[in-house]
């Protein structure tokens, strides 16, 4: 769904060959000016000097990156030793995004597999059921999760009523809530690509494995999983990448203590206390991480495609 | 035999996990929907069914704020979706009916860019851009940002639809002395309509729902529905917010359902 714009080959004719420059011009202009140039400008900003009431002074400096990586003591005059504050926030975000990915995989894979093994007639309906939450406002979904996890909320009521917990648990404003929020936000992204892969899987391979006395779980591990691996990897990336830069889940479910990269960046641009070059630098570091992941993915896809032929 | 096939395919526990998956996805929204009909002013206790909070949204003390936010949201979403769909339709025509050309891969990369860059990074970059060129933040900056990130969402269903249409129809029109413009407007465009409608509706929802980018590029005092809801939630979760949220969720579901059926039509 959000995995990049797919394109066909050149088999669709070239009726509008002469006009294609004009047809693409609006896209080039809009996206260059409103996405490409801003991202490059952000790179420039990360090397500028901060203005105290937000914004920048156009003087070149490494100060933003220095602040990110270097601890220079109380008076800022010591040699650089590693600054852990921001690295820890990044590390925790990676860890939480990774855990959200694993959780989504554990729930999402069986769901995708189950849907793909339904009769062809009802499959679109199942897929539609998984797709709907993706199109529902993420803010509202996160707010409803906050409602669920409140101290006097439905989940705690259920836990106390059923005797699982003796007293309401503190779930909201904890790392646990952020974790659940991330998992819940991007779960549909895991199901859809895996479903697409399992649907193409040839089930006679599973039958052949069963005929050769492979157990069900061996078949799943050794035959099904390798065959649908591209879908699994795509799902993992589609959950991991947005989780890494998430803002709403840590902000609405984690409270003030449970910062993630997204919250750190947002804080730099709010009100007068912010530091724009530092926010730009943190954004650049996040963007580089995402681009590296996507490049590894693209390369792997290209290699997998080469093997098939 | 058929029994054996069934066994090979199915795994114990997968049904339960599927149910759990749907429960996780839908339960929080359903609970909020139920509580939006609560007669109580507290969000803790259930005191019977009432439409009180829906009335409150339209006539209560905060109604003026929400009406203005809703108006902004819809004006921006309609305009952004219209412009983005027009741009995406032209782009899809070039990408799919333009033969092979060198800039094709690059163009595809550019169209996919808003999907690859994390939303918070796009938000920061767009804010920095408007700040640098001295463009005062307000409704117009929100609109421009929305147009840009709606393009890929409009492009996907439109290009998918066009790929499903053979170019023999246009060739036939051209053989019968139609100009290329006529072949485009009278033959290709009507055939593409389901894809275009589907793309338009998805772009519309994406714009209507956006919070992060809007929050960065909106000027002081300009609110859309999501930013107004976010602001209100920060003050504490109140029943009227649950009523607004439920209406917005219902609206999104209707739009996606329409988009789904239109997109499927005579494909």
């Amino acid at each position: 769904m959000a995995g990049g714009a797919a394109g066909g080959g050149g088999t669709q004719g070239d009726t509008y060959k002469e006009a294609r420059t004009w047809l693409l011009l609006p896209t080039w202009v809009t996206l260059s000016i409103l996405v490409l140039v801003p991202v490059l400008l952000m790179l420039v900003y990360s090397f500028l000097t901060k203005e105290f009431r937000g914004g920048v002074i156009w003087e070149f400096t490494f100060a933003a990156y220095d602040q990110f990586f270097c601890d220079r003591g109380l008076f800022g005059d010591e040699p650089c030793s590693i600054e852990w504050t921001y690295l820890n926030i990044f590390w925790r975000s990676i860890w939480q995004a990774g855990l959200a990915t694993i959780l989504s995989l554990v729930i999402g894979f069986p769901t995708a597999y189950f849907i793909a093994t339904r009769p062809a007639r009802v499959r679109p309906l199942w897929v539609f059921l998984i797709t709907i939450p993706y199109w529902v406002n993420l803010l509202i979904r996160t707010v409803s999760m906050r409602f669920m996890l409140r101290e006097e909320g439905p989940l705690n009521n259920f836990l106390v009523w059923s005797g699982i917990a003796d007293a309401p648990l503190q779930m909201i404003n904890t790392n646990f809530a952020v974790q659940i929020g991330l998992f819940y936000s991007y779960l549909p992204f895991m199901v859809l690509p895996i479903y697409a892969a399992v649907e193409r899987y040839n089930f006679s391979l599973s039958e052949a494995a069963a005929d050769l006395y492979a157990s069900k779980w061996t078949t799943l591990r050794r035959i099904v999983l390798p065959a649908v691996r591209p879908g699994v990897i795509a799902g993992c990336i589609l959950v991991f990448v947005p989780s890494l830069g998430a803002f709403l889940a840590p902000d609405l479910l984690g409270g003030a203590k449970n910062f993630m990269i997204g919250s750190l960046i947002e804080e730099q641009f709010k009100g007068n206390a912010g530091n724009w070059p530092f926010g730009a630098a943190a954004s650049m570091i996040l963007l580089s991480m995402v681009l590296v992941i996507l490049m590894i993915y693209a390369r792997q896809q290209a290699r997998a495609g080469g093997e098939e032929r | 035999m058929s029994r054996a096939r069934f066994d090979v395919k199915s795994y114990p526990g997968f049904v339960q996990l599927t149910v759990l998956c749907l429960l996780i996805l839908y339960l929080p929204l359903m609970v909020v929907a139920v509580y939006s009909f609560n007669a109580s002013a507290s969000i803790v206790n259930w005191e019977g069914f009432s439409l009180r909070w829906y009335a409150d949204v339209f006539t209560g003390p905060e109604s003026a704020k929400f009406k203005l936010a809703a108006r902004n949201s819809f004006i921006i979403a309609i305009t952004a979706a219209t412009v983005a769909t027009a741009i995406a339709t032209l782009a899809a025509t070039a990408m799919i009916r333009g033969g092979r050309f060198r800039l094709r891969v690059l163009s595809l990369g550019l169209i996919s860019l808003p999907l690859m860059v994390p939303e918070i990074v796009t938000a920061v970059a767009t804010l920095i851009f408007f700040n640098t060129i001295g463009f005062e933040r307000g409704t117009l900056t929100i609109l421009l940002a929305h147009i840009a990130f709606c393009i890929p969402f409009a492009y996907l269903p439109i290009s998918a639809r066009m790929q499903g249409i053979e170019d023999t129809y246009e060739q036939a029109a051209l053989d019968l002395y139609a100009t290329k413009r006529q072949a485009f407007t009278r033959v290709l465009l009507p055939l593409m309509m389901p894809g275009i409608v589907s793309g338009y509706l998805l772009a519309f929802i994406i714009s209507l729902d956006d919070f992060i980018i809007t929050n960065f590029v909106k000027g002081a005092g300009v609110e859309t529905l999501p930013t107004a809801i976010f602001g209100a939630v920060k003050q504490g979760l109140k029943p009227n917010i649950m009523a607004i949220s439920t209406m917005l969720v219902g609206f999104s579901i209707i739009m996606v359902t329409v988009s789904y059926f239109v997109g499927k039509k005579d494909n």
Side-chain angles (χ1 to χ4, degrees):
Chain A
M1 182 128 284
T11 56
Q12 295 283 329
D14 52 6
T15 317
Y16 301 103
K17 196 173 155 188
E18 296 83 14
R20 67 192 175 201
T21 306
W22 294 107
L23 291 171
L24 276 171
L25 200 62
T27 309
W28 286 336
V29 170
T30 318
L31 291 179
S32 302
I33 294 180
L34 290 170
V35 183
L36 203 56
V37 170
V39 168
L40 295 175
L41 208 56
M42 185 175 77
L43 177 64
V44 174
Y45 262 51
S46 70
F47 291 105
L48 296 181
T49 308
K50 81 164 177 179
E51 168 99 72
F52 279 95
R53 290 181 298 112
V56 289
I57 302 165
W58 285 78
E59 273 168 34
F60 180 87
T61 169
F62 283 111
Y65 291 95
D66 194 85
Q67 182 186 344
F68 191 96
F69 292 109
C70 284
D71 177 8
R72 292 188 186 275
L74 203 53
F75 303 104
D77 52 357
E78 290 166 27
C80 177
S81 55
I82 296 178
E83 165 70 271
W84 286 108
T85 315
Y86 308 113
L87 286 176
N88 276 338
I89 291 175
F90 268 64
W91 172 242
R92 202 171 56 228
S93 301
I94 294 171
W95 169 249
Q96 292 211 289
L99 210 55
T101 309
I102 292 167
L103 269 173
S104 314
L105 186 62
V106 168
I107 301 284
F109 184 87
T111 306
Y113 185 94
F114 177 79
I115 294 175
T117 51
R118 293 308 90 202
R121 201 167 30 87
V122 293
R123 265 181 242 155
L125 205 68
W126 280 99
V127 173
F128 187 54
L129 268 180
I130 300 292
T131 319
I132 285 180
Y134 167 69
W135 293 112
V136 169
N137 195 325
L138 184 59
L139 169 66
I140 292 177
R141 292 182 66 209
T142 312
V143 168
S144 65
M145 189 45 95
R146 176 165 150 146
F147 182 71
M148 286 294 284
L149 298 178
R150 271 177 322 123
E151 202 165 342
E152 298 163 307
L155 190 59
N156 261 325
N157 286 347
F158 173 77
L159 289 176
V160 172
W161 171 82
S162 64
I164 296 173
D166 297 328
L169 303 172
Q170 169 71 41
M171 289 187 283
I172 204 72
N173 297 339
T174 64
N175 254 331
F176 168 77
V178 179
Q179 194 61 66
I180 294 295
L182 292 176
F183 157 65
Y184 164 73
S185 299
Y186 305 114
L187 181 57
F189 289 172
M190 184 61 89
V191 180
L192 295 171
I194 297 180
Y195 162 77
V198 178
E199 204 199 15
R200 281 197 304 269
Y201 171 68
N202 182 356
F203 279 96
S204 48
L205 291 175
S206 292
E207 280 165 35
D211 288 344
L212 296 167
Y213 301 104
S215 78
K216 289 188 105 153
W217 297 104
T218 309
T219 308
L220 185 70
R221 208 177 68 239
R222 307 271 300 265
I223 312 289
V224 182
L225 264 180
V228 302
R229 209 180 60 175
V232 173
I233 295 174
C236 288
I237 288 178
L238 288 179
V239 173
F240 186 79
V241 167
S243 297
L244 198 60
F247 166 70
L248 286 171
D251 193 74
L252 288 173
L253 302 170
K257 290 196 308 278
N258 301 288
F259 248 45
M260 282 182 69
I261 302 175
S263 347
L264 176 70
I265 292 173
E266 204 255 3
E267 200 179 48
Q268 308 308 322
F269 295 92
K270 279 288 124 185
N272 292 335
N275 181 341
W276 284 37
F278 184 70
S283 303
M284 268 330 286
I285 295 168
L286 171 62
L287 181 60
S288 332
M289 283 176 10
V290 169
L291 290 182
V292 167
I293 294 169
L294 291 178
M295 254 150 63
I296 294 172
Y297 172 68
R299 184 183 260 180
Q300 209 183 15
Q301 289 293 88
R303 203 184 300 150
E307 274 169 17
E308 267 171 36
R309 260 164 234 138
Chain B
M1 183 60 201
S2 77
R3 177 73 203 153
R5 275 179 70 99
F6 181 72
D7 274 340
V8 166
K9 275 191 182 181
S10 72
Y11 284 86
F14 277 26
V15 187
Q16 287 83 342
L17 285 171
T18 305
V19 172
L20 182 66
C21 178
L22 290 175
L23 212 61
I24 293 165
L25 288 177
Y26 283 95
L27 195 64
L29 292 172
M30 285 178 182
V31 169
V32 165
V34 168
Y35 270 84
S36 71
F37 293 107
N38 190 356
S40 167
S42 107
I43 57 168
V44 180
N45 302 315
W46 177 261
E47 286 176 14
F49 179 89
S50 150
L51 289 174
R52 167 180 174 193
W53 299 111
Y54 287 86
D56 184 85
V57 169
F58 291 102
T59 56
E62 291 180 301
S63 63
K65 188 178 86 182
F66 289 132
K67 274 180 194 155
L68 188 62
R71 203 175 136 254
N72 285 338
S73 268
F74 278 92
I75 290 174
I76 290 167
I78 289 169
T79 319
T82 308
V83 177
T85 307
I87 292 175
T89 306
L90 298 180
T93 310
M95 298 293 279
I96 290 165
R97 292 285 202 267
R100 292 190 170 280
F101 54 105
R102 246 187 318 148
L103 284 173
R104 197 171 180 281
V105 178
L106 211 65
S107 304
L108 204 56
L110 192 62
I111 293 170
S112 315
L113 202 59
L115 300 177
M116 293 191 294
V117 178
E119 208 184 341
I120 188 126
V121 175
T122 310
V124 167
T126 314
L127 168 65
I128 284 175
F129 172 70
F130 285 132
N131 186 64
T132 309
I133 62 171
F135 204 121
E136 191 164 346
R137 277 180 272 164
T139 318
L140 196 56
T141 49
I142 303 176
L143 178 63
L144 288 170
H146 281 208
I147 288 173
F149 77 75
C150 281
I151 289 175
F153 289 96
Y155 178 82
L156 289 175
I158 294 173
S159 69
R161 173 80 191 178
M162 201 185 281
Q163 273 169 359
I165 303 169
E166 287 176 50
D167 73 334
T168 41
Y169 301 105
E170 297 139 75
Q171 292 305 330
L174 293 174
D175 287 346
L176 295 168
Y177 301 106
T179 62
K180 285 198 172 175
R181 185 181 291 267
Q182 284 170 326
F184 179 75
T185 54
R186 304 248 182 109
V187 179
L188 186 56
L189 220 47
L191 284 170
M192 299 228 312
M193 240 348 139
I196 293 175
V197 171
S198 182
Y200 181 90
L201 294 178
L202 295 185
F204 180 84
I205 293 194
I206 288 290
S207 165
L208 192 70
D209 283 355
D210 176 74
F211 168 73
I212 293 177
I213 294 174
T214 310
N215 188 38
F216 269 75
V217 302
K218 78 186 180 73
V222 180
E223 301 283 357
T224 63
L225 269 181
T227 63
I229 291 174
F230 182 81
V233 167
K234 283 275 163 179
Q235 313 282 319
L237 203 50
K238 286 201 247 34
N240 60 345
I241 296 301
M242 294 202 257
I244 291 190
S245 299
T246 304
M247 284 190 280
L248 210 52
V249 169
F251 185 77
S252 295
I253 291 177
I254 291 169
M255 297 286 280
V256 174
T257 311
V258 170
S259 158
Y260 174 77
F261 284 108
V262 170
K264 260 180 60 159
K265 212 176 68 180
D266 62 59
N267 212 342

